[in-house]
Each structure stands twice: as structure tokens, then as C-alpha cells.
Amino acid sequence: MESQSCNGAFEVTKVSNLNCIDLSADIQKSVTLLKQACLDCGFFYVVNHGLSQEFMDEVFDQSRRFFTLPLREKMKLLRNEKHRGYTPLLDELLDPDNQVHGDYKEGYYIGVEVPGDDPEANKPFYGPNIWPSTDILPGWRDTMEKYHQKALDVAKSVARIIALALDLDIDFFDKPEMLGKPITTVRLLHYGGDVSNPSEGMFGAGAHSDYGLITLLATDDVLGLQICKDKNTKPQVWEYVPPIKGAFIVNLGDMLERWSNCIFKSTLHRVLGNGQERYSIAYFVEPSHECLVECLPSCKSEENPPKFPPIKCATYLSQRYKDTHADLTVYKTQVSGGGPITGCD
Ligand code: OGA
Ligand code: NI
């Protein structure tokens, strides 16, 4: 693929050629392909996952309906301490060393729905969601709750293949402390059509790796996601991951890198805006709050001792969210009407 750079010269844009895991195929074949992908870059496509195109279209339509609302309506649903709700333009700063502002994207977090009076709601990542009113967005909650359930089924199927690829029992990640009681989050994302400029520190989403076990990413057909297979190569080489209709792009998170003692990679990725509006939906999959993420027996030896100390999932996640999101107090004036946020209304 060729693209024109700012000074008018043509430069080659690299495009990744990722393995494709077919969930309806023979599982041993999938284990081989997935293992290869996880050792290489931790990104792969997943097809025949059981979610119909009609349903995916419905989820994207509902997402578009939300982001099209006036900014003042969206700000009424601003993210809370439990990481539920709306994240405005520039709210998130993923790569402070290379970004001048926050990300040029807006988002909406939907977590596991736990009623406020349930004792489980005391856990940092459990609680009631913030839902747009049914008068404004009829059917919205239904669609998103259905997506939560269906995406978890896909994630569990992928986790079984990962378990086999790590020489673990097939149901290793199905245990109660793992995906039996997971922390899962749907995050709707909208990139408004800004053109990113890496040399000036402007990105749709800054370079980062995801925090958890895996992420399932659904995108529209606009190119934007890039991966960097080796973060230590200077200058860094970025490759586009082109969308494939109907496929999830799946990537491994940092918890799996810790579990596997860096044998499986959680690769740096970012989003560049090219002037076109873009929608994507991330589904972040993490184990239970109490799960201790520690080096797997099959991934350590005398020559290769654990690189990370064990850490509780909830502790690790809380720190990662705190490091990357604006302090909620910056919105105090904006929610009451006086804030300086512009640009997505
Ligand atoms: C993310 C992410 C990529 C995209 O939300 O963590 O990497 O294409 N999103 O929106
Ligand atoms: Ni990501």
C-alpha cells in the first residue's frame, strides 16, 4: 500500500499479515496458528465466531446513535469512578511521552451489570452501568447487554485455544477465579475524523498495550489500527492491521504476558486518524477481581525465572486505569455547563 506523506513524497505503508483463527475449524489447527501468532505479535483475526453480521450491524448502529447525540446529553452520562459511561474527546492519555494532548476519540464504557444493593457492587470494577434513557435511545441497553453475553462466549472459546497453546488444561481459564467471574468491559469508540500527526504528538489513540487477558476488537471498514511488533527497534516500525469484514481482531493483554513470562506478547498498538470518521468496539476481558496473576509453571525454569511478581487482578487494573485517564475533577465545571470541551458536538 502507498500513501502520501506530508512533504509530498510517497512512502510505503506496511500492512500486517495476521493469522486467522476459524472457531469452526479443527481445534488443533487453531492451536498451531494461535501459538504462532502469540509468539510473533499477539494479534490475530477470529472468524466464524457465531455473532451474525446483522447483530454486529445493530451494535454499530446503536453505537453511532449514541455518539451522534449532542455533547450536553453525552456529558450527562459522564464516566464515574467505576469506569462506566462516557469518556469525552481527549479524556484518555495513553502515551504521555509522545502525545501532546489526550486521544482524539470519545468512548463509552459498559461493564458487568451488578445492582447497587448487591454486595458484589462494592468491588472496584462491579456495579450498575450508566444507561442512556430509553426515550432517547430505545433498545440500546438490550443490544449492549446482548453483546456483552455473546462476546464473552467468543472470549471463552479463544481462551481455551490459548490454554492449549500454553500446554495448560483446556479449561484453565474457565475456572471460577478466572473467567468464571470475569471483569469484562465493552468500550464503544468513535474517532471523529481528525487527521493524526505522529511527529506533532497527535493520535486517534496513543501507543499502548491492553491490560487484561485478551481484547476482542470489532471495527468498521476504515483503516486506522497499527501495531509495532518490536517496541525496542528505533525508529519504531508501525504496520496497519486492515479490517476484515465480520472478523474480530484479537490481541493479548499485559496480564497474559505476565502469566506467560513474556513468552506470549502483548504488543504495542495505536490508532491513526486519516480524516475519515471511524467506529470501533473493544471488548476487554480480565479475570475475577481476586485472581492472582502469576507466572505459569509451564513458562518458568531455572534459566528463565519469573520476570514479574504475582499481582491481584483488581490491584493491577486499578493502577492501569488511574495512569491513563483524566482525573474526574477536571469535568466539574463542564458537567454544570461551563467547560471548554468542543469538537464532537
Ligand atoms: C483500545 C484499542 C483500537 C481501535 O481501545 O484499547 O486499542 O481500533 N482500540 O479502536
Ligand atoms: Ni488497545
Side-chain angles (χ1 to χ4, degrees), residues 208 210 251 269 284:
H208 67 283
D210 294 350
N251 63 292
H269 54 283
F284 301 113

Side-chain angles (χ1 to χ4, degrees), residues 79-269:
R79 150 179 86 85
N80 62 19
E81 311 68 38
K82 297 264 185 183
H83 306 286
R84 310 298 172 95
Y86 177 59
T87 55
L89 200 69
L90 310 183
D91 178 77
E92 194 173 4
L93 182 60
L94 287 163
D95 182 17
D97 291 345
N98 293 301
Q99 282 180 277
V100 174
H101 307 287
D103 291 351
Y104 282 80
K105 68 171 197 247
E106 45 177 353
Y108 201 92
Y109 284 116
I110 306 160
V112 176
E113 179 74 24
V114 176
D117 57 2
D118 187 317
E120 291 277 287
N122 292 327
K123 297 181 170 171
F125 293 93
Y126 275 181
N129 280 299
I130 297 177
W131 297 109
S133 100
T134 48
D135 301 342
I136 297 179
L137 294 175
W140 203 85
R141 174 173 177 171
D142 252 18
T143 304
M144 297 307 162
E145 289 194 318
K146 217 184 280 172
Y147 187 65
H148 240 285
Q149 282 170 15
K150 288 176 186 275
L152 182 59
D153 290 339
V154 178
K156 285 183 171 173
S157 300
V158 174
R160 289 184 192 118
I161 304 172
I162 293 175
L164 293 175
L166 284 169
D167 296 324
L168 302 166
D169 290 339
I170 189 166
D171 57 359
F172 180 83
F173 293 109
D174 288 315
K175 294 199 235 25
E177 71 275 25
M178 301 275 178
L179 300 184
K181 236 168 185 292
I183 301 172
T184 50
T185 306
V186 169
R187 193 175 190 198
L188 311 174
L189 292 163
H190 173 225
Y191 301 85
D194 301 282
V195 180
S196 295
N197 187 340
S199 60
E200 290 190 2
M202 219 186 123
F203 297 91
H208 67 283
S209 50
D210 294 350
Y211 318 148
L213 173 64
I214 53 172
T215 305
L216 310 182
L217 183 76
T219 74
D220 63 13
D221 55 8
V222 178
L223 201 63
L225 177 67
Q226 295 188 318
I227 61 173
C228 170
K229 286 189 179 176
D230 181 1
K231 59 181 172 222
N232 298 317
T233 306
K234 295 282 177 297
Q236 288 179 332
V237 178
W238 290 90
E239 304 176 12
Y240 275 104
V241 176
I244 296 182
K245 184 94 183 155
F248 282 113
I249 298 166
V250 179
N251 63 292
L252 311 183
D254 297 332
M255 285 188 204
L256 189 53
E257 193 173 87
R258 292 174 80 105
W259 258 311
S260 71
N261 214 13
C262 296
I263 293 175
F264 278 7
K265 302 234 165 42
S266 135
T267 285
L268 216 51
H269 54 283

Side-chain angles (χ1 to χ4, degrees), residues 261-281:
N261 214 13
C262 296
I263 293 175
F264 278 7
K265 302 234 165 42
S266 135
T267 285
L268 216 51
H269 54 283
R270 68 185 188 185
V271 175
L272 293 193
N274 64 4
Q276 279 173 284
E277 224 180 347
R278 178 173 180 272
Y279 289 87
S280 66
I281 302 172

Side-chain angles (χ1 to χ4, degrees), residues 1-5 9-17 45 221-226 238-244 272 274 276:
M1 190 186 288
E2 281 186 338
S3 63
Q4 198 163 18
S5 68
F10 280 93
E11 62 185 28
V12 175
T13 305
K14 279 181 79 109
V15 175
S16 251
N17 187 12
Y45 297 105
D221 55 8
V222 178
L223 201 63
L225 177 67
Q226 295 188 318
W238 290 90
E239 304 176 12
Y240 275 104
V241 176
I244 296 182
L272 293 193
N274 64 4
Q276 279 173 284

